[in-house]
Amino acid sequence: MTVYIDDSTLAAYVDGELDPAQLREIDLLLAGDPRARLKVRRMRETTALLRAACAESHFQDVPDRLLALVEKRPARAANPWLRRMLAASVLLASLVGTDVVLDHVWKPENVATLDSREAMLDEIAAYHLVYARQTEHLVEVPAERREHIEAWLGSLLNRTLRVPDLSSQGLKFEGARLLAIDTYPVAQLLWSREHGDPVALCVTFGSPSNRPLDIEHHRGLNVGSWDENGYTYVVVGAITEDSVRRIAAKVDTGTGAGMGAGIGLGEVPQQG
């Protein structure tokens, strides 16, 4: 069954209300529709904004007048996304008259940076902690099927994906997994090492603007991430920051397709 990308469908997609078959179809349609991707990004930012605005640090009790305004909404609005925008507007109107400082919370770029991205990196680290303990089931697809890995994960990301050679870093390519974070596909490539737990490189859709390599600490692991030409790259493992930088520098440029035309695993823009 064909799923049309209208606002109601996108809202259901963002809220995780679609079945697996519909999610896969929407993922494919979004890969070729930049306007729809922008809508999804704004919906996610608004969701994060609402969550931040409702935090207990801002107020303990919801004012009666705010509850009354929300309850007066139509019983069946034509579009669930419009209902969410209405709620955001009501919250904004209610908070403007209080002592809440909005300069930081209500900037979408801050919400995306401090909420969505941090959550994504933390979830990648959590996934890695689970899979790094596996031996027989470390990967879904073994390294012997490298060409299949590149074609399979590349198609999900609408680009050509090449597995970088990290043998000079003492790493042996073991294979790959497909992760899903907030309904987005994440390609996870895994390497083992003689002494220590495995190391992973993850690739997913990211910001259209470039972002230099930044290394954070999540769940006891070093997590290095950067954005380039619409994709986010993450190196994660129980390794030193220098090792993260060396591995990231080995990620080679390839040839992309579709949305990422001319983009492969891009060279890392280093911080000055």
Side-chain angles (χ1 to χ4, degrees), residues 81-236:
W81 176 238
L82 293 179
R83 295 201 302 268
R84 182 171 299 174
M85 291 300 293
L86 174 62
S89 300
V90 171
L91 278 171
L92 178 59
S94 69
L95 289 174
V96 165
T98 70
D99 293 330
V100 176
V101 178
L102 300 173
D103 287 344
H104 179 78
V105 174
W106 288 90
K107 289 181 180 178
E109 63 270 23
N110 288 338
V111 174
T113 298
L114 298 178
D115 192 289
S116 301
R117 189 179 186 89
E118 289 299 309
M120 177 192 70
L121 295 177
D122 191 68
E123 192 162 350
I124 285 176
Y127 271 123
H128 189 75
L129 282 175
V130 172
Y131 293 131
R133 298 189 184 103
Q134 303 298 312
T135 52
E136 184 179 355
H137 301 290
L138 175 63
V139 297
E140 284 183 88
V141 184
E144 291 77 11
R145 302 187 65 193
R146 180 188 297 252
E147 290 185 1
H148 171 72
I149 289 171
E150 293 174 336
W152 168 49
L153 295 177
S155 67
L156 291 173
L157 294 173
N158 196 37
R159 55 172 291 162
T160 296
L161 188 69
R162 293 191 176 91
V163 176
D165 181 5
L166 301 180
S167 57
S168 64
Q169 306 301 308
L171 300 176
K172 177 187 176 184
F173 182 57
E174 296 291 349
R177 282 185 172 276
L178 173 63
L179 309 180
I181 296 180
D182 204 12
T183 73
Y184 284 115
V186 179
Q188 185 188 50
L189 309 176
L190 291 121
W191 287 261
S192 62
R193 47 191 180 137
E194 187 174 355
H195 303 289
D197 291 334
V199 176
L201 168 68
C202 295
V203 185
T204 188
F205 296 113
S207 170
S209 58
N210 291 352
R211 180 186 181 119
L213 175 65
D214 181 50
I215 301 175
E216 300 178 10
H217 201 64
H218 289 266
R219 299 177 182 265
L221 303 173
N222 275 324
V223 181
S225 66
W226 72 98
D227 286 3
E228 186 172 350
N229 299 299
Y231 293 96
T232 296
Y233 306 84
V234 181
V235 175
V236 57

Side-chain angles (χ1 to χ4, degrees), residues 5 12-13 36 40 44 46 49 60 62 73 162 217 224 226 257:
I5 308 186
Y13 175 86
V40 167
R44 293 182 190 281
T46 301
L49 180 150
Q60 295 296 324
V62 180
R73 71 185 186 279
R162 293 191 176 91
H217 201 64
W226 72 98

Side-chain angles (χ1 to χ4, degrees), residues 34-54:
R35 293 183 63 185
R37 290 198 303 274
L38 179 59
K39 281 187 177 182
V40 167
R41 182 178 297 278
R42 287 176 175 171
M43 287 180 180
R44 293 182 190 281
E45 289 173 349
T46 301
T47 298
L49 180 150
L50 285 168
R51 186 164 57 247
C54 293

